[in-house]
């Protein structure tokens, strides 16, 4: 069944995520619709201060490079968490409602711009 309609479950990993998945799957099974699992991850930008004048040029570049590496690592951890969260939620739904099709939607940024 190909349709653009689905039951959308917004999950965030909180204590109610499992219940949200259960209710979404229950409704989806009754309405014969897929469940769409949505997780929005917000990766905060690092707080970069103007370090000019406080340290030498080479030191400043080294610190900026280090901040960039930390930002990259933070983004990887957030993405890994998001992937694990939606996969766990999908498995949870499939354990109780094997007949329900589950779609995964992951976004970066804010839920509402």
């Amino acid at each position: 069944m190909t349709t653009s309609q689905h039951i959308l479950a917004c999950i965030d990993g909180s204590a109610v995520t499992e219940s949200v998945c259960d209710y979404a799957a229950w409704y989806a099974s009754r309405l014969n619709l897929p469940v769409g699992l949505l997780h929005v991850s917000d990766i905060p930008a690092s707080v970069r201060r103007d370090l000019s004048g406080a340290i030498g040029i080479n030191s400043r570049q080294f610190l900026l490079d280090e901040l960039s590496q930390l930002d990259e690592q933070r983004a990887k951890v957030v993405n890994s968490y998001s992937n694990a969260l939606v996969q766990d939620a999908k498995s949870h739904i499939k354990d109780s409602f094997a007949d329900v099709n589950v779609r995964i939607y992951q976004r970066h940024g804010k839920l509402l711009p």
Side-chain angles (χ1 to χ4, degrees), residues 17-78:
T17 296
E18 195 171 289
S19 295
V20 168
C21 291
D22 290 339
Y23 281 111
W26 183 84
Y27 277 107
S29 69
R30 299 300 184 268
L31 298 172
N32 196 24
L33 291 172
V35 170
L37 292 173
L38 172 64
H39 180 253
V40 179
S41 54
D42 184 21
I43 303 172
S46 68
V47 178
R48 294 190 178 160
R49 299 181 185 146
D50 183 10
L51 302 174
S52 59
I55 54 178
I57 292 173
N58 291 338
S59 299
R60 180 174 181 238
Q61 185 59 46
F62 173 76
L63 290 174
L64 289 175
D65 290 344
E66 194 170 345
L67 284 172
S68 294
Q69 290 174 357
L70 288 173
D71 286 346
E72 185 178 329
Q73 289 174 348
R74 181 182 298 124
K76 284 181 182 178
V77 169
V78 169

Side-chain angles (χ1 to χ4, degrees), residues 75-97:
K76 284 181 182 178
V77 169
V78 169
N79 286 336
S80 294
Y81 173 77
S82 180
N83 289 334
L85 179 64
V86 294
Q87 291 303 324
D88 288 349
K90 181 178 180 177
S91 294
H92 175 76
I93 290 172
K94 287 298 197 178
D95 287 345
S96 301
F97 298 91

